[in-house]
Amino acid sequence: MASELYNTIDALSREKGIDPQIVVSAVEDAIVVATRKYYKTQENLRAQLDKDTGKIRAFAIRTVVETPEQVEDPLLQITLEDARKVDPSLEVGGELQIPKETEGILGRIAAQLAKQVIFQKVREAERDTVYNEYIGRVGEIVNATVKRIEGPDVIFDLGKAESRMPRKEQSRLESFAIGERVRVIIARVEKAAKGPAVVVSRAAPELVQHLFQTEVPEIYDGTVVIRAIAREAGERTKIAVMSKDKDVDAVGACVGMKGMRVQSIIRELRGEKIDIIEYHEDAVTFAEKALQPAKVSRVTIVDSADKHLEVVVDDSQLSLAIGKKGQNVRLAAKLLGWKIDIKSEEEKRQEVEQQMSALVTPTTTPLESVTGLGEGLIEKLGAAGITSVEALADMTPEQLEAIEGIGPKTVEKISLAVNNYFSGLEGGEIAAEGEAVTPAAEGQEAASEDVAAATDEVVASSDETRTDEAELAGAEGVPLTEEASPEAASSEEK
């Protein structure tokens, strides 16, 4: 029959969930420590608990050697001759146990020391038990009860151990009351100095996955597969699903009739938004789906090796595609596993224009290349900041007349010279292409006609009102004056 001490040890072992032999070893080690402290000896001591009587005996252990010359430490070794005086059955290499008296000599201090050793050993065994219990259950969903709240952390009771949920593993939409039962994910098990800390989470994407497996039978039996989940706890979750049966709609199965299935999960997550997206192997199509509710104009793969996409949306859809604080595009990028750049149509157009302008190298031709412009005129134009033929050709007659020292006749001279210069360039290009060239006389006559026409256009554009009045005056043959022009127009109408 087991002693009362052993029965107490057995009950303690069941309560802590540890092996009774671990507690027995702790008690024996505690007696060894107390005995060594009492006798103040460096002998190799060993204690033994008698299961039936409950008595604990202590022994000094000495190793048996053959000759006295082999004895290095008399407290640890003994010769074969001396050992056989105590136990005739001993051989070389065996151990001689010399009893140490413990009853009635181990006082209160020794008992207190033994108690501390026992508690320490039991705690270590309990830590190992908890660690071995939960290290293989990381990622599993369990039911837990809120035990207490310590600052930002929530402490849960898992049954065999306590767990901790730090602030970053919580959803901002949730608050907990003492005694409340919630479902949590075992995130990790940390082996710290104070013992193993089981960290649980309500922010992990695995929680949403487990909830869908519970609520959607098609996911539980494998007909619908969850391919990817991206979550920002308390804000929004995007989940990509795919059906293995062509007759089963993956998104419809997850939503349920009138949204009952997904609404049940949303209630469990305290109102967190959930986007259910159909999975596609094609990254372009998948990206269009992942950026919902925004409508995508086009998707381009920038670099397939680096997994980089460029998405162009309408100007009105840009803010919706990016989402609040970039949340929509951030979750879409997590879901795809690709980097996503979002641009509006206007931004893309400007980018293309910049690329095109960078490809076209602007040419500048000095004014000295234009025959017909004197040195004095070139100096006046240079003082006004006009140093190239191209800049001069872009100017209007009004802008030229605004330059000091340039009047209408000079403007006509400039227009004629510039037109002659460009006409000569065009003639050179035609000749370079090998086409037929007109005789010199005909070429000059044609060039003169072009120059005259171009000059008329420049003068006409300089003052639209003056041109209109000149045409009316020319039609009637009336001199152009402020009083005559209206009368001429009036007589023409009659």
Side-chain angles (χ1 to χ4, degrees):
M1 183 177 178
S3 64
E4 183 179 352
L5 175 60
Y6 190 83
N7 290 334
T8 303
I9 292 175
D10 188 52
L12 177 64
S13 302
R14 286 197 301 270
E15 179 185 347
K16 298 294 183 181
I18 58 179
D19 186 3
Q21 188 57 41
I22 295 177
V23 183
V24 171
S25 299
V27 173
E28 292 175 347
D29 292 344
I31 295 300
V32 168
V33 172
T35 304
R36 177 175 284 113
K37 188 174 183 63
Y38 176 78
Y39 285 103
K40 296 180 176 61
T41 179
Q42 296 300 320
E43 293 177 297
N44 185 13
L45 300 178
R46 184 181 300 167
Q48 184 177 1
L49 171 64
D50 191 333
K51 179 180 177 180
D52 297 329
T53 63
K55 292 184 178 181
I56 304 174
R57 293 178 293 176
F59 302 94
I61 305 299
R62 296 183 184 178
T63 304
V64 179
V65 295
E66 188 171 359
T67 61
E69 290 77 11
Q70 296 176 337
V71 177
E72 297 177 357
D73 189 348
L75 295 177
L76 302 177
Q77 296 169 324
I78 189 172
T79 61
L80 179 62
E81 182 181 354
D82 293 339
R84 284 184 171 176
K85 292 177 181 179
V86 180
D87 187 355
S89 62
L90 289 175
E91 298 292 338
V92 175
E95 292 182 345
L96 175 65
Q97 295 183 350
I98 302 175
K100 289 284 186 180
E101 184 64 34
T102 57
E103 285 192 35
I105 60 175
L106 299 180
R108 180 181 59 81
I109 296 178
Q112 187 69 22
L113 181 62
K115 177 182 177 182
Q116 293 176 358
V117 172
I118 291 171
F119 281 176
Q120 180 181 357
K121 295 289 184 180
V122 169
R123 279 197 299 269
E124 290 176 357
E126 189 178 5
R127 292 171 187 172
D128 292 338
T129 302
V130 171
Y131 183 82
N132 296 331
E133 170 74 21
Y134 291 100
I135 190 62
R137 300 176 63 183
V138 174
E140 182 181 332
I141 187 168
V142 295
N143 290 320
T145 305
V146 180
K147 192 171 185 179
R148 63 184 182 275
I149 298 175
E150 296 180 352
D153 297 349
V154 181
I155 307 301
F156 290 92
D157 184 7
L158 300 179
K160 294 184 178 180
E162 287 185 356
S163 62
R164 177 175 56 89
M165 185 166 66
R167 169 66 68 185
K168 65 178 182 179
E169 299 293 347
Q170 302 175 26
S171 169
R172 69 172 187 83
L173 299 176
E174 297 179 332
S175 59
F176 303 96
I178 304 298
E180 183 180 359
R181 289 183 61 83
V182 293
R183 285 184 279 190
V184 296
I185 291 288
I186 299 177
R188 59 187 181 274
V189 181
E190 300 172 348
K191 204 166 188 178
K194 294 183 179 180
V198 181
V199 180
V200 296
S201 173
R202 290 273 298 177
E206 291 81 5
L207 177 63
V208 180
Q209 181 175 348
H210 283 291
L211 292 175
F212 270 98
Q213 289 175 350
T214 304
E215 296 292 336
V216 182
E218 289 83 356
I219 294 179
Y220 182 79
D221 62 20
T223 305
V224 176
V225 181
I226 298 175
R227 295 300 303 267
I229 297 179
R231 185 186 184 203
E232 290 188 3
E235 298 288 345
R236 183 180 292 273
T237 295
K238 287 182 181 287
I239 178 170
V241 294
M242 184 183 72
S243 175
K244 291 184 177 180
D245 188 346
K246 63 180 182 180
D247 296 329
V248 177
D249 179 16
V251 177
C254 294
V255 173
M257 184 177 294
K258 296 182 180 180
M260 292 180 63
R261 292 175 176 176
V262 72
Q263 286 299 326
S264 175
I265 298 172
I266 291 174
R267 283 194 298 271
E268 173 71 23
L269 299 176
R270 308 293 200 275
E272 183 176 316
K273 298 180 180 65
I274 299 178
D275 295 338
I276 304 173
I277 301 161
E278 186 178 359
Y279 177 80
H280 286 272
E281 294 289 346
D282 180 27
V284 173
T285 307
F286 193 19
E288 293 177 356
K289 299 285 187 181
L291 286 169
Q292 291 178 353
K295 295 181 180 179
V296 177
S297 299
R298 58 187 179 275
V299 179
T300 307
I301 296 178
V302 178
D303 190 344
S304 58
D306 291 340
K307 294 187 173 183
H308 189 188
L309 290 174
E310 182 183 76
V311 178
V312 179
V313 298
D314 191 71
D315 295 351
S316 61
Q317 296 288 312
L318 181 61
S319 60
L320 188 61
I322 294 174
K324 183 180 179 182
K325 298 180 180 178
Q327 184 185 80
N328 192 53
V329 66
R330 188 166 58 248
L331 288 175
K334 287 181 183 178
L335 199 68
L336 269 74
W338 287 61
K339 292 183 287 186
I340 299 177
D341 290 341
I342 291 189
K343 299 176 181 177
S344 65
E345 293 282 3
E346 179 64 21
E347 291 174 344
K348 186 62 177 177
R349 185 185 63 78
Q350 293 177 358
E351 181 181 334
V352 172
E353 287 179 353
Q354 291 174 358
Q355 292 174 353
M356 293 299 293
S357 62
L359 293 174
V360 177
T361 304
T363 58
T364 57
T365 307
L367 292 177
E368 289 76 4
S369 302
V370 181
T371 58
L373 297 178
E375 293 183 2
L377 183 56
I378 292 176
E379 290 179 0
K380 292 178 182 179
L381 293 173
I386 304 169
T387 58
S388 65
V389 180
E390 290 77 16
L392 181 60
D394 290 337
M395 296 191 69
T396 63
E398 290 83 358
Q399 293 174 334
L400 288 172
E401 289 181 6
I403 299 174
E404 186 178 355
I406 295 179
K409 291 183 179 181
T410 308
V411 171
E412 292 180 8
K413 178 181 177 181
I414 293 172
S415 300
L416 182 61
V418 171
N419 281 302
N420 286 335
Y421 171 76
F422 284 112
S423 297
L425 291 180
E426 292 174 1
E429 292 175 357
I430 295 173
E433 292 173 1
E435 297 182 1
V437 182
T438 59
E442 294 178 0
Q444 291 175 358
E445 183 179 352
S448 300
E449 292 176 356
D450 292 340
V451 169
T455 305
D456 291 341
E457 291 176 3
V458 171
V459 174
S461 63
S462 65
D463 194 338
E464 185 178 352
T465 305
R466 187 189 307 168
T467 303
D468 293 340
E469 292 175 352
E471 290 176 355
L472 292 174
E476 287 292 323
V478 180
L480 183 59
T481 61
E482 293 182 359
E483 292 82 4
S485 295
E487 294 175 0
S490 177
S491 64
E492 178 65 17
E493 291 174 2
K494 294 179 179 179

